[in-house]
Amino acid sequence: MIMLNVNGKDHQLEVAPDVPLLWVIREQLKITGTKYGCGLSLCGACTVLVDGKATRSCVTPVSEVAGKKVVTVEGLKEGLGERLRLAWTEEEVPQCGYCQPGQIMAAAALLGETPEPDDAQIDAAMSGNLCRCGTYPRIRRAIHRAARMTPERSES
Amino acid sequence: MNQSVDTRRRNFLKASAAVGGGLILGFYVPTRGATIAAAAEPPPPLDPNAWLRIAEDGTVTIIVAKAEMGQGVYTSMPMLIAEELECDWNQIRIEPAPVAPVYNHTVFGVQVTGGSTSVSSSWEQLRTVGAAAREMLIQAAADLWEVAPPACRAENGKVRHLASGREIGFGALSARAARLPVPTRMQLKDPKRFKIIGRSMPRLDTPAKLDGSARFGLDVTIPDMLVAVVARPPVFGAKLKNLRDQKARAVPGVQVVARVPTGVVVAARDFWSALQGREALELEWDEGDGGKLSSESLLKQYAELAKTPGAVARRDGDPETALAAAAKKIEAVYEVPYLAHATMEPLNCVVELGPERCEIWTGTQFQSGDRNAAALAAGLKPEQVTIHTMLLGGGFGRRANPHSDFVSEAVQVAKELKKPVKVVWTREDDTRGGHYRPLWYSKLAGGLDGEGKPVAWSHRIVGQSIIAGTAFEQAMIHNGIDGASVEGAADLPYAIPNLQVDLHSPTNPVPVQWWRSVGHSHTGFVVEGFIDELAAAAGRDPLQFRRELLAGHPRHKGVLELAAEKAGWGKPSAEGRGWGLAMHASFGSFVAQVAEVSVDAKGQIRVHRVVCAVDCGRVVNPDTVKAQMESGIVFGLSAALLGEITLHNGRVQQSNFHDYPILRLDETPEIEVHIVPSQEPPTGVGEPGVPPIAAAVANAVFAATGTRLRRLPMTVERVKEAGKTVTRKS
């Protein structure tokens, strides 16, 4: 039995300890915004926040996050989540959209630590998240845009 | 000017009352042009949900027959209807279409999304649907108010009586409108009055793609469903010789291990258990001839073939004599590798199979082919198969498989398991699963006269046909020429009086398929690289050289000049950097790109900036056009710089993003896109951004370093290798 907190909700799960967090979230909890892309931490589609840190859920055994706070794209709500979604919408970032939950979670972790990142910091934080549609120039702009939005206003 | 459309000619525009009230409008366009359906077939019955439903609350549901794979059809298709319908944009909902003949592509005659044709093929059709519904709603209001229809106008989801200012919403009119006959003749709007077409409308699919609620095939769960993975042959064409599955069956959670036509299926309650089960399988394969295949030996074989003439795709004048007489002769060989589509969402398919019906949930670009293949695999009639088209986590052609490989296999698995099943391809399965962009070998010769003017051009192409052996063969292969192999080469726009393009189409067991921009994905690189070589041999500026050869082609020339102007062509480049340009027409559109690159001491290419000009006729959604050009450039850069599928002992040597890399954010250049204003009919945007970029980069590398790159991808090793050899000029 593993105790998991996902998006603020506690779950008691009957699951082998080495199953990757990704599949527990997607198949057992049926929260499907977090995506499978590579299974080897190479593409970032599975990115979630674990205690605020961007984490590749496809290579993270579920036992490692027991007792920690896991946030998926569905749980990224007011404040930063709203700013990111607004910025992503204004820049019309998504195309196929499959990688975008992972992109947004990686951006959330970046802005959580570095509220006003420069291009080099964006490169460093975001280059592990692949997008086959090539939305990178817009992702970069959207992160700058989200950073410029007044947190007080959108988080009130 | 208003365009008048006679719907009687086109037939089968039908209206009916919706269940629960409201207007439903359908429309069937008999197909024209190339089609694999018999033209004389009677029109099929209209699907009851055809194109449009207006509910009594005013909600307008637009059924989209095209698959949304990122290219924006869930917005552009509604824009075409809404422009004429005059509905309130905020009340539009979208629904993916089921499989039905009414949703067939108006040119291809099957239900498919591809060839960058969604807008061009729906342009008149969907505006007509919108116009018909608008006229019926106006008529309904006029009847209600006992006034003449011309005294009323539809606007923003309401009909207004101009004289009295009375207004009534579409929702309140929908039931009444549904009882009216469909107008037989209606006016499409004068483009000068367009309010939606030509504006960057916000994409309707965006919100769901930002909060996790967007549903892709992989996100589907149905009751009692097993999750399955398939162990497929390690070599294309290999047959299973021996299976030992005791260890696999012993893996906790594994429910079924069974042979299926494509290999061995392992099914469990969850993905991870199925995967562990598959890893525990002990399999022996009879590899057949496939085990001897290698990319190197294929290239040698292609080079041998290229010594002999192929099937002639185009011949002007007498290129052999002109080459022999030329003041200067330039020869070159270009090579591009097999490429995987590498959609971010690996292939997958959910199937529920019963004795009388088969229900499928998947991201597909090719519903009618998949339905037929599913029916065949299930032993049912096509009408007994339902396909729910989910959002596609990327398509790029892979999800329009002429053999419906991933759908057909999933039905075979469901048949074997006798349970609902989701078949999941891992990234490794997807990378090694075949259906690649073919490996291409091009041998070229060009001749210049004493003034440096090109007088001869010879281009011999060697590579597998993607069409041979598919249902499209009869329609698309003529006189031994697969048009998809020579497109972008045989239609060379440059005025060169003596010209030949010929083709060899060898066969081998590697499955090949269309890949974003199809044949143009290789010819764009080859043709625009070699024309640049001719310009260099003539000692001419690459822009001026091309311009002079494009006298009769104003649209080709237009994008070339716009891209050059916006990039600042002719200004000295920064220290250590070079500029290259390329122009290529595909899918009815014209695209030119200028790339600015540098090459470091190690031979690593860095692309700093790309300026792109596109002429795609009338633009429906400008921001989408820009997004698709950006997308094509990044996709094309992955192929230009990084991507390569190679075979050794029959085995695909790549498996995941570490050895089949795609461009990352920190490698992405600044991209500027400029659109040529045009009143021409709309043409493609999903693919035309891809073909020029590899050549623009290679030409820029030449400008920066003097090294001519003729082989993709342009890795550090290739740059070094090419830098050592003398460029082949005589």
Side-chain angles (χ1 to χ4, degrees):
Chain A
M1 192 75 89
I2 285 174
M3 173 83 151
L4 209 57
N5 184 287
V6 178
N7 299 334
K9 209 172 145 194
D10 285 330
H11 301 270
Q12 298 260 359
L13 295 172
E14 205 59 72
V15 59
D18 61 338
V19 176
L21 174 62
L22 170 67
W23 298 104
V24 176
I25 296 171
R26 287 183 53 83
E27 294 189 333
Q28 283 204 272
L29 303 182
K30 308 250 186 296
I31 303 173
T32 56
T34 309
K35 301 304 185 200
Y36 166 68
C38 69
L40 293 176
S41 185
L42 297 167
C43 79
C46 68
T47 307
V48 298
L49 300 183
V50 177
D51 288 346
K53 284 213 155 21
T55 302
R56 308 296 191 217
S57 64
C58 74
V59 292
T60 304
V62 63
S63 53
E64 264 185 32
V65 299
K68 296 181 182 168
K69 286 197 184 317
V70 177
V71 178
T72 72
V73 72
E74 292 89 344
L76 193 69
K77 292 227 154 71
E78 53 284 309
L80 188 52
E82 269 175 33
R83 277 197 283 150
L84 286 167
R85 274 190 267 271
L86 187 58
W88 247 247
T89 305
E90 287 175 348
E91 294 292 344
E92 287 284 10
V93 175
Q95 291 191 25
C96 90
Y98 192 78
C99 74
Q100 296 301 338
Q103 304 281 1
I104 286 177
M105 298 315 284
L110 168 64
L111 293 184
E113 280 184 12
T114 314
E116 288 178 56
D118 58 23
D119 279 349
Q121 287 166 319
I122 293 175
D123 279 4
M126 300 300 296
S127 290
N129 285 74
L130 299 181
C131 172
R132 187 60 162 153
C133 301
T135 63
Y136 302 126
R138 290 168 185 247
I139 288 173
R140 185 191 295 281
R141 288 204 300 269
I143 291 175
H144 283 307
R145 187 186 274 268
R148 283 196 306 269
M149 290 178 193
T150 319
E152 292 76 21
R153 199 182 55 205
S154 62
E155 282 173 32
S156 62
Chain B
M1 218 179 79
N2 284 335
Q3 188 182 350
S4 172
V5 173
D6 184 348
T7 56
R8 280 171 307 186
R9 259 194 310 121
R10 287 191 169 65
N11 277 334
F12 317 122
L13 189 62
K14 283 188 187 173
S16 63
V19 178
L23 171 67
I24 288 178
L25 198 67
F27 186 37
Y28 175 71
V29 183
T31 57
R32 54 179 192 267
T35 169
I36 60 168
E41 271 178 24
L46 211 54
D47 184 276
N49 293 318
W51 294 110
L52 182 66
R53 288 200 303 274
I54 302 178
E56 289 185 330
D57 68 358
T59 309
V60 176
T61 303
I62 289 174
I63 320 297
V64 183
K66 306 297 177 196
E68 178 59 71
M69 46 193 167
Q71 82 283 42
V73 285
Y74 277 12
T75 308
S76 57
M77 299 294 107
M79 284 174 75
L80 298 181
I81 290 183
E83 180 65 67
E84 293 289 341
L85 180 59
E86 305 284 0
C87 58
D88 175 358
W89 183 254
N90 296 319
Q91 286 194 294
I92 291 178
R93 305 288 176 270
I94 37 180
E95 216 173 86
V99 200
V102 67
Y103 301 117
N104 281 352
H105 193 288
T106 57
V107 178
F108 301 150
V110 287
Q111 196 170 332
V112 68
T113 308
S116 296
T117 54
S118 291
V119 165
S120 61
S121 66
S122 310
W123 172 243
E124 189 177 300
Q125 178 192 36
L126 292 188
R127 285 185 302 141
T128 304
V129 168
R134 177 196 67 219
E135 293 305 312
M136 292 164 77
L137 290 158
I138 288 176
Q139 182 71 53
D143 291 351
L144 186 71
W145 294 328
E146 297 179 338
V147 298
C152 304
R153 184 175 297 161
E155 211 165 24
N156 205 27
K158 294 182 191 129
V159 178
R160 189 155 53 97
H161 180 230
L162 295 172
S164 66
R166 272 179 298 187
E167 284 188 340
I168 182 167
F170 283 3
L173 291 169
S174 63
R176 189 181 276 269
R179 292 192 294 270
L180 295 172
V182 176
T184 52
R185 185 169 271 287
M186 68 205 83
Q187 296 288 310
L188 295 183
K189 262 187 186 174
D190 182 335
K192 286 198 201 87
R193 292 177 45 230
F194 281 167
K195 290 187 286 199
I196 291 174
I197 292 171
R199 273 180 59 199
S200 292
M201 299 300 284
R203 284 180 63 142
L204 295 169
D205 54 342
T206 294
K209 288 178 174 176
L210 301 180
D211 64 10
S213 63
R215 295 231 306 158
F216 298 85
L218 206 58
D219 301 330
V220 173
T221 299
I222 55 174
D224 208 24
M225 179 185 91
L226 295 179
V227 181
V229 290
V230 177
R232 300 181 187 86
V235 157
F236 297 115
K239 301 266 177 291
L240 185 65
K241 205 158 66 178
N242 225 326
L243 160 68
R244 278 189 299 172
D245 60 7
Q246 293 81 347
K247 287 181 195 160
R249 288 175 189 278
V251 169
V254 168
Q255 305 239 328
V256 187
V257 179
R259 286 187 187 223
V260 286
T262 54
V264 178
V265 64
V266 180
R269 279 278 160 222
D270 64 282
F271 170 78
W272 195 247
S273 304
L275 195 64
Q276 304 311 302
R278 186 173 73 172
E279 277 169 19
L281 285 174
E282 293 167 284
L283 305 169
E284 270 181 74
W285 301 90
D286 179 356
E287 294 186 6
D289 287 346
K292 297 176 201 136
L293 268 181
S294 81
S295 296
E296 271 177 40
S297 61
L298 281 173
L299 277 172
K300 275 189 199 144
Q301 181 201 329
Y302 287 11
E304 272 308 303
L305 260 179
K307 290 177 182 166
T308 61
V312 176
R314 176 173 165 191
R315 187 175 169 88
D316 300 345
D318 182 353
E320 295 82 7
T321 307
L323 270 171
K328 207 168 194 182
K329 189 176 164 189
I330 300 97
E331 290 177 308
V333 166
Y334 281 73
E335 292 166 5
V336 300
Y338 286 114
L339 289 173
H341 301 73
T343 58
M344 288 308 300
E345 178 193 22
L347 295 171
N348 60 81
C349 184
V350 174
V351 180
E352 184 171 23
L353 182 61
E356 301 285 326
R357 52 180 274 282
C358 176
E359 206 161 344
I360 292 168
W361 291 259
T362 194
T364 174
Q365 297 174 240
F366 189 21
Q367 292 83 354
S368 29
D370 290 348
R371 181 165 79 158
N372 291 344
L376 194 67
L380 295 171
K381 294 182 194 134
E383 310 84 84
Q384 293 171 301
V385 179
T386 306
I387 296 182
H388 303 274
T389 302
M390 307 306 292
L391 287 169
L392 280 63
F396 316 120
R398 181 63 182 90
R399 287 181 154 91
N401 186 271
H403 308 283
S404 299
D405 64 329
F406 61 101
V407 173
S408 178
E409 176 190 71
V411 174
Q412 286 158 349
V413 166
K415 206 169 159 183
E416 185 62 40
L417 301 181
K418 299 184 179 63
K419 279 211 165 177
V421 65
K422 169 155 61 181
V423 177
V424 178
W425 294 51
T426 63
R427 173 59 54 195
E428 291 78 7
D429 297 342
D430 199 283
T431 305
R432 295 184 163 159
H435 302 286
Y436 304 125
R437 194 287 300 274
L439 171 78
W440 292 106
Y441 180 96
S442 276
K443 188 176 176 182
L444 297 107
L448 299 171
D449 68 13
E451 274 125 50
K453 253 186 91 183
V455 288
W457 174 282
S458 160
H459 185 179
R460 182 159 297 151
I461 298 171
V462 186
Q464 287 163 271
S465 165
I466 58 167
I467 302 297
T470 73
F472 302 97
E473 185 167 329
Q474 224 181 345
M476 291 173 72
I477 298 185
H478 302 289
N479 304 321
I481 302 284
D482 174 353
S485 298
V486 296
E487 59 187 8
D491 50 344
L492 188 83
Y494 299 114
I496 301 175
N498 303 288
L499 181 150
Q500 175 155 313
V501 178
D502 60 349
L503 171 72
H504 288 284
S505 305
T507 58
N508 74 52
V510 182
V512 286
Q513 194 185 334
W514 29 58
W515 182 95
R516 194 174 188 175
S517 82
V518 196
H520 299 279
S521 73
H522 75 100
T523 58
F525 171 59
V526 174
V527 163
E528 282 299 301
F530 194 61
I531 197 81
D532 218 71
E533 294 200 49
L534 294 191
R540 301 288 314 278
D541 171 74
L543 171 66
Q544 298 308 331
F545 188 76
R546 284 177 175 82
R547 282 186 68 228
E548 284 165 25
L549 299 173
L550 289 171
H553 296 279
R555 296 180 77 186
H556 293 79
K557 214 162 123 182
V559 289
L560 194 60
E561 288 170 350
L562 182 61
E565 180 211 317
K566 295 290 183 187
W569 185 265
K571 287 182 199 157
S573 50
E575 180 65 27
R577 293 194 182 182
W579 290 16
L581 64 76
M583 179 279 305
H584 196 83
S586 62
F587 307 95
S589 295
F590 306 83
V591 178
Q593 289 160 1
V594 175
E596 183 181 354
V597 313
S598 61
V599 184
D600 71 15
K602 277 184 261 166
Q604 178 66 54
I605 296 172
R606 170 93 210 179
V607 182
H608 300 276
R609 179 176 174 232
V610 175
V611 178
C612 173
V614 53
D615 174 354
C616 56
R618 190 176 287 286
V619 169
V620 173
N621 192 331
D623 190 63
T624 297
V625 172
K626 288 187 175 177
Q628 284 308 296
M629 291 302 122
E630 292 162 10
S631 176
I633 288 164
V634 173
F635 196 90
L637 281 174
S638 289
L641 302 172
L642 303 166
E644 162 168 53
I645 291 287
T646 53
L647 290 121
H648 187 68
N649 291 335
R651 281 154 178 80
V652 173
Q653 293 176 289
Q654 294 73 25
S655 61
N656 207 316
F657 292 119
H658 63 291
D659 50 13
Y660 188 73
I662 63 171
L663 210 72
R664 294 176 180 273
L665 184 134
D666 62 353
E667 298 163 319
T668 301
E670 277 178 51
I671 301 174
E672 263 177 54
V673 179
H674 303 277
I675 301 174
V676 176
S678 171
Q679 266 83 70
E680 297 290 326
T683 48
V685 297
E687 296 169 275
V690 177
I693 190 62
V697 170
N699 297 341
V701 169
F702 177 76
T705 65
T707 298
R708 186 60 76 177
L709 297 172
R710 303 187 184 91
R711 191 169 179 188
L712 299 185
M714 297 180 258
T715 55
V716 169
E717 294 73 33
R718 297 265 160 76
V719 172
K720 277 188 188 160
E721 190 185 300
K724 275 185 225 150
T725 58
V726 182
T727 43
R728 279 163 276 186
K729 288 174 200 168
S730 62

